[in-house]
Amino acid sequence: MPEIKVTPLGAGQDVGRSCILVSIAGKNVMLDCGMHMGYNDDRRFPDFSYITQNGRLTDFLDCVIISHFHLDHCGALPYFSEMVGYDGPIYMTHPTKAICPILLEDYRKITVDKKGETNFFTSQMIKDCMKKVVAVHLHQTVQVDDELEIKAYYAGHVLGAAMFQIRVGSESVVYTGDYNMTPDRHLGAAWIDKCRPDLLISESTYATTIRDSKRCRERDFLKKVHETVERGGKVLIPVFALGRAQELCILLETFWERMNLKAPIYFSMGLTEKANHYYKLFITWTNQKIRKTFVQRNMFEFKHIKAFDRAFADNPGPMVVFATPGMLHAGQSLQIFRKWAGNEKNMVIMPGYCVQGTVGHKILSGQRKLEMEGRQILEVKMQVEYMSFSAHADAKGIMQLIRQAEPRSVLLVHGEAKKMEFLKQKIEQEFHVNCYMPANGETTTLFTSPNIPVDISLGLLKRETAIGLVPDSKKPKLMHGTLIMKDNSFRLVSPEQALKELGLGEHQLRFTCRVHIQDPRKEHEMVLRVYNHLKGILKDYSVQHLPDGSIMVESILIQATAQSEDQGTKVLLVSWTYQDEELGSYLTSLLKKGLPPTTT
Amino acid sequence: MAAHLKKRVYEEFTKVVQQQHEEISAKKLRLTKPSKSAALHVDLCKATSPADALQYLLQFARKPVEAESVEGVVRILLEHYYKENDASVRLKIASLLGLLSKTAGFSPDCIMDDAINTLQNEKSHQVLAQLLDTLLVIGMKLTENPAVRMRLLDVACKYLTDSSHGVRNKCLQLIGYLGSVEKGATKETESLVTKDVQKIIGDHFNDQDPRVRSAAIKAMLQLHERGLKLQQTIYSQACKLLSDDYEQVRSAAVQLIWVLSQLYPESIVPIPSSNEEIRLVDDAFGKICHMVSDGSWVVRVQAAKLLGSMQQVSSHFLEQTLDKKLMSDLRRKRTAHERAKELYSSGEFSSGRKWGDDAPKEEVDTGAVNLIESGACGAFVHGLEDEMYEVRIAAVEALCMLAQSSPSFAEKCLDFLVDMFNDEIEEVRLQSIHTMRKISNNITLREDQLDTVLAVLEDSSRDIREALHELLCCTNVSTKEGIHLALVELLKNLTKYPTDRESIWKCLKFLGSRHPTLVLPLVPELLSTHPFFDTPEPDMDDPAYIAVLVLIFNAAKTCPTMPALFSDHTFRHYAYLRDSLSHLVPPLRLPGRKLVSSPVSPSVTPHEDPSQQFLQQCLERVYNLQHLDPQSTQELLEFTIRDLQRLGELQSELAGVADFSAAYLRCQLLLIKALQEKLWNVAAPLYLKQNALASAAAKQIMEETYKMEFMYSGVENRQVVTIHHMRLQAKALQLIVTARTTRGVEPLFGMCENFLQEVDSFQRCFISELPHMQDSFVDKLLDLMPRLVTSKPSEAVKILQTTLRQSTFLHLPLPEQIHKATATIIEPAGESDNPLRFTSGLVVALDVDATLEHVQDPQSTVKVQVLYPDGQAQLIHPKPADFRNPGPGRHRLITQIYLSHTAWTEPCQIEVRLLLAYNSNRSKASTRLSKSTWIDSMEAVPPSEYGIEGTIPFSKSVKVYIMPKPARRALV
């Protein structure tokens, strides 16, 4: 039985370090290769030793696919390819390929330069790693080898995010990566065609959320920011350099322009310039509005948003600052947060999901006193707001995607176990498909019934279709033929041809059955009775009375002979070929019941 | 040289020979067959290869064929068809057959048999499809004939089993167009076929080819369009098609479901997976709602559009469309709607606004939480959030239509519409503002909603702001704070965008008159009056102050207690504003102040009839004229014109009619005056002065008639005749005057001829109206026509003169509705003393903003004219996009004109005005003429009549102070 095996090395009932192994029809594919924000030890990277203990990874993996540039989807890539060792192809979309190294470099800097870790990947390793990357276009079918092919679909979420379809023969798996079903200010909605994969591996970050309309969210966000700024407070918005940041920038930029506000908006330097540069370049990956208006004005050329300098944080008066990273676990956003946390006029808006263990998660769950490094206690007086701007699909969005793709089974990753449980139940209930949610390291096996193509000779096809009624291509049809399996190919040919090819003579198989009937009358009289009886019952068949005293029902021969010893018992010989087995056995059973009593 | 000549001669010679040769062969054939077909036959015979033949056929297809020769051509084509081996040529022939059967005046029944016969032996699927298409064309021309239809239907059914999708497509199309419509027909067979047609088409809903499936649905829709009642049984089939893999099928299926839901709204259908039943229209509504989240945006647009027209849907379904969180099945809905809603919003699903509120709590009856099946849930929420703005606009439109029919839904959808005001695409914002305006009589805005609405006032787009003003004009506000908020925001808007002045005033006018009781408590604050202290008198010219006053005065109209709160200067300002801005400030009955009350009492309706009567009387008085002596005729006319003009000023509803009749009477007056001149009795050369007067009168009449024809909307044919008749008289007058003043006969010849031609064309244009014009000038003239044509110019002039004098005054029948085109230039206001300075030789842009009333087709007729002090005039054609259409009969021109001039020493004023361009070619009469007789009389008509173009100034001119400075020379 052919099977598809899925093993999450990360992101199984968890968010972070996405890494999923898929074996499909003998091909092994690794989906994403991310790091975990919550850990600083070995646990931050997936355990690649699961794949192979001592052999080269290249021998075990056919390809690696990266869905988008977020570090929890690509953070472990240089470690994986350069330090563990992998030389096979890595697939990602063009924007991902462009932006990914920037983020990796930034990540490396923070880990190595700031925290002083050793035994981490170097800049050169990032470069070498990127050399192994093959960029793909949307909807482009890429042949990894003769059998394995992959195809990217638009996923929304962030610039360049893609869903991937992995196909071997007639078996296929779709991996969604992170996706968003509602369009936002700068990206469109995820879309997939009705590709009916055997398995859909979907993220489920917001498995139990049904979000309000995005317009309410936007309005709330703007209102909160506006009010705080009018009060003279400072607003901190921790974001990841790319993705939500750009959306919120566009939102604030247009709002500032419309309302003619003067308070400065800053964006932490460095990454931003580079990132915005790429956003300007990959206009085709953005939403309808930006694509249509970029000739007049590229929306990513901000007028009101300026670069941030460390010294600005102490400036008096209102301001809005976008700072990285988004979960307040390190870096500039944490620094600014510590400076501003004491003033109740200020506000921090968390625009997205926070992993357990980060400062962001702590303040959102209501902690007002935080223990910082060096046993320092930080009292949080500033307002803490949460606005779900994460561009993940909500429960309804996930269901919508499943409806669009019509998979034969679903597997949930990238979410919390409890929430997944709920969604799993919903999916099974509504689509009547199996739904799995393996934990990290747990293997899910599902059996597929792939179609096996068979060549059929035209003559046979025509002959067989001519027999039935009007051909109806939608209905399965039964046909007789001989299946020849030879040299790894299947052929369906007519029996005669098969015999010819095999050089065999044709043998006929006949069944002959004797039926004893008590009848004192003469043979030909009895035959006539049998004839009349059969004629009466088998109205749809041709029943013939042959001159030599036998009866033909279609191609079945019935002969009557008299038992030599007992004149009262007649023997009916019923003979048929194996092709007519059905009718033949029916006839015998009919005759065995005996003839109806004659009226005469 | 000689050699060259020789060569040319030779060339020509050979050429001639060739032509002759061709002609001969053509002539030979012409004896038996019509010309076109003959030529074609020759061509096709000559064709050596299929490519050649194709070329000939293509050339042939470019020229039309006369109806008489169609049949011959068809025979020839068919003859070739049978001989032809190449499929592409056969295809072309087949398509030509279709083209030819379309020829007007040709009845294709004679070629139908042949066309059907050709089907028999055809092997190529493409040609088959084309032939079926031809049959379709034939069938369409012979829809009256049931036998033909039956025959074609048989053919179509026979070829439905073809293996090519193209052929099946065409067959289905054929069935769709020709399938029998008569239900309950007398004959048994007829009804049998009716049933069959739907079944046959329905069978192809499951065809393997998506193109055939969509063709089948379209054929079904076609049947519906032709009036055949579709059976309800199709519904379940159509529902299955909604999940088809192909978007064109889904799109068509959505339409089909919509049609069925309109046909059988009240039928009951079972819900699968439960034993409950619902109305069909509700079920269909749910299904279409479901399609709003389809994968293809074409389908989404289609679905969103159709939702709007499903007004019979039950209200609880309708309301679900706005609720995304509500995921209940029907049972739950029916019981405790509110409780259920609360349960969901607080329970299982988080809103995403608060952290951690999505922790799964105790599970609420999970069977009831249905994420997908109850499709209506949140359909509009999805539609309004869609990625494509086309879908969003469609959703807003649908919302509008549904809200108009259901007040409770209108109330609910308000929040969503308000949210759409912040859409990123301006078109969507605009659309949602308009939508809100349309449903505004059903709703009352809450304060928070008003807040969001008013925030849009800061939008930089003028269209948005103005749409919003229009919206505020007809909104209901619930609290006095709301009114105050609106006023404050509008004043903010006024300071930010001073050009919005007019629109804001108008908005406040309606706001005031709609909410008198809410304005009342605000009055002291707004006027900043104080119980003890006198406050300083505000500046009367401040637009913001005027805005406040407009609000208060309009509120005071229905609130008699309000004037008591006014201070003295408010009354003075009222008197001033009532005069200067009478359209914004209503007449008020102020206590103890008689001087303000206007002669026309505020209630207008009872006065309408008397003034109408007065108008009629005036005109009747005039129409009895001929029995009076000339002197009193003139006086009477003068009086009447004066009366009419005054009436027009007083009664704006009657202004159009009054002005129109006054203009006509003025023409008549001028004509009478001109004919009264003594010059007619005296030898010509002596009275040059009077004669100048007469010709001036003629010219003026011409101008007036053009104004009458082109400046009024609602002018009907009968009026046009009368106007043209008047113009003809003016032309006659002109001719007579010229005849008397010019010496020599030669120039007269031409003029007479022109005049006669004009009479001729007049007769042609208005032949149907002539019986109404007994005793008129033209009537008499036409009687004398034979004499006129033959006589000499001098005699003709004499005849004309007597006819003109004897002819009676033609009554001007008044049309139902007639409006004079007017234009008001709002900007530039012409008040500024600061000259607009610019460097000479460079260009300065001047913003022009004008409202146009009752102008038909302003894009092509309205021009802007700039007159410079040196007499130079510049005509500017505004772009079509500069015209907006805010309401019926109203247009708004917002454009920029570019000025430039050489340097002046002093600043000086230029004049800007609007012109209405006309072209007699475009006039109603000549279009009629050109339609009826363009083939034969086009050359005969003198071009002068058709080329008359001109402009009528129809706005007051505005002076703009400009100063082109000499260019400063830069140092080189």
Side-chain angles (χ1 to χ4, degrees), chain B residues 682-695:
Chain B
V682 189
L686 294 175
Y687 287 89
L688 279 172
K689 200 179 131 213
Q690 275 91 343
N691 125 34
L693 211 148
S695 68

Side-chain angles (χ1 to χ4, degrees), chain B residues 728-758:
Chain B
L728 201 63
Q729 280 174 308
K731 278 175 183 162
L733 183 66
Q734 222 166 14
L735 179 63
I736 299 163
V737 172
T738 351
R740 286 192 74 93
T741 47
T742 38
R743 287 144 203 268
V745 192
E746 285 77 36
L748 275 184
F749 271 119
M751 286 183 69
C752 271
E753 204 151 301
N754 275 350
F755 181 75
L756 289 179
Q757 270 172 353
E758 252 158 57

Side-chain angles (χ1 to χ4, degrees), chain A residues 292-309:
Chain A
K292 289 206 168 156
T293 55
F294 89 100
V295 183
Q296 284 100 42
R297 185 195 158 187
N298 196 322
M299 290 281 275
F300 294 105
E301 273 158 22
F302 301 120
K303 274 187 201 157
H304 296 91
I305 302 175
K306 291 160 219 127
F308 183 70
D309 189 278

Side-chain angles (χ1 to χ4, degrees), chain B residues 461-494:
Chain B
S461 153
R462 180 201 280 264
D463 288 327
I464 296 266
R465 290 198 309 272
E466 273 174 12
L468 207 64
H469 294 154
E470 294 262 334
L471 163 65
L472 286 176
C473 282
C474 43
T475 330
N476 300 317
V477 181
S478 50
T479 58
K480 80 173 177 27
E481 284 79 17
I483 291 282
H484 193 238
L485 195 69
L487 180 67
V488 168
E489 289 292 331
L490 282 170
L491 292 181
K492 230 193 240 176
N493 172 1
L494 189 64

Side-chain angles (χ1 to χ4, degrees), chain A residues 231-245:
Chain A
R231 264 204 316 266
K234 296 176 169 62
V235 183
L236 171 67
I237 307 171
V239 285
F240 288 101
L242 294 130
R244 276 334 78 200

Side-chain angles (χ1 to χ4, degrees), chain A residues 133-387:
Chain A
V133 170
V134 182
V136 298
H137 294 281
L138 279 185
H139 302 180
Q140 175 197 6
T141 305
V142 180
Q143 290 285 347
V144 178
D145 57 31
D146 289 346
E147 288 158 342
L148 178 64
E149 60 184 44
I150 60 171
K151 183 175 173 186
Y153 291 96
Y154 190 77
H157 190 63
V158 288
L159 193 75
M163 306 191 270
F164 280 90
Q165 186 191 38
I166 301 124
R167 173 182 287 276
V168 182
S170 66
E171 292 168 276
S172 64
V173 172
V174 169
Y175 174 59
T176 63
D178 290 358
Y179 64 99
N180 188 9
M181 292 301 282
T182 45
D184 60 33
R185 290 271 166 166
H186 75 300
L187 294 174
W191 180 86
I192 196 162
D193 55 17
K194 220 171 252 196
C195 52
R196 301 196 174 91
D198 291 301
L199 177 67
L200 177 85
I201 305 175
S202 168
E203 64 130 333
S204 54
T205 325
Y206 288 96
T208 55
T209 305
I210 288 196
R211 283 208 228 97
D212 248 344
S213 95
K214 63 162 182 174
R215 290 171 204 284
C216 299
R217 258 180 293 153
E218 284 173 3
R219 210 178 51 208
D220 271 14
F221 171 77
L222 293 172
K223 211 169 160 186
K224 275 174 190 164
V225 173
H226 193 189
E227 278 169 5
T228 313
V229 168
E230 275 193 340
R231 264 204 316 266
K234 296 176 169 62
V235 183
L236 171 67
I237 307 171
V239 285
F240 288 101
L242 294 130
R244 276 334 78 200
Q246 273 70 24
E247 188 196 350
L248 295 177
C249 279
I250 286 182
L251 198 58
L252 278 189
E253 164 89 10
T254 40
F255 185 70
W256 248 240
E257 199 155 301
R258 265 175 61 187
M259 305 303 273
N260 204 10
L261 297 177
K262 292 283 176 277
I265 309 176
Y266 297 113
F267 198 130
S268 49
M269 264 204 308
L271 275 181
T272 328
E273 276 98 353
K274 278 187 207 161
N276 283 347
H277 177 66
Y278 287 114
Y279 272 83
K280 274 179 224 166
L281 279 180
F282 291 107
I283 285 294
T284 45
W285 285 78
T286 55
N287 72 6
Q288 191 190 22
K289 154 93 175 170
I290 297 177
R291 265 182 290 150
K292 289 206 168 156
T293 55
F294 89 100
V295 183
Q296 284 100 42
R297 185 195 158 187
N298 196 322
M299 290 281 275
F300 294 105
E301 273 158 22
F302 301 120
K303 274 187 201 157
H304 296 91
I305 302 175
K306 291 160 219 127
F308 183 70
D309 189 278
R310 198 173 301 249
F312 292 166
D314 298 319
N315 282 1
M319 67 173 83
V320 180
V321 175
F322 290 96
T324 52
M327 298 189 192
L328 280 181
H329 55 278
Q332 203 162 37
S333 62
L334 191 59
Q335 283 172 16
I336 300 172
F337 174 73
R338 286 162 84 165
K339 267 185 193 156
W340 291 357
N343 192 339
E344 62 271 9
K345 270 206 290 187
N346 297 341
M347 178 186 280
V348 59
I349 298 179
M350 306 297 300
Y353 185 83
C354 286
V355 172
Q356 219 152 19
T358 57
V359 175
H361 188 263
K362 282 178 198 154
I363 57 169
L364 279 178
S365 39
Q367 279 190 40
R368 297 312 260 177
K369 286 196 173 136
L370 298 175
E371 195 179 340
M372 307 304 280
E373 293 152 34
R375 306 214 164 270
Q376 227 179 337
I377 300 282
L378 180 69
E379 197 172 349
V380 182
K381 283 187 187 154
M382 76 196 299
Q383 295 174 57
V384 179
E385 293 286 350
Y386 170 69
M387 305 287 314

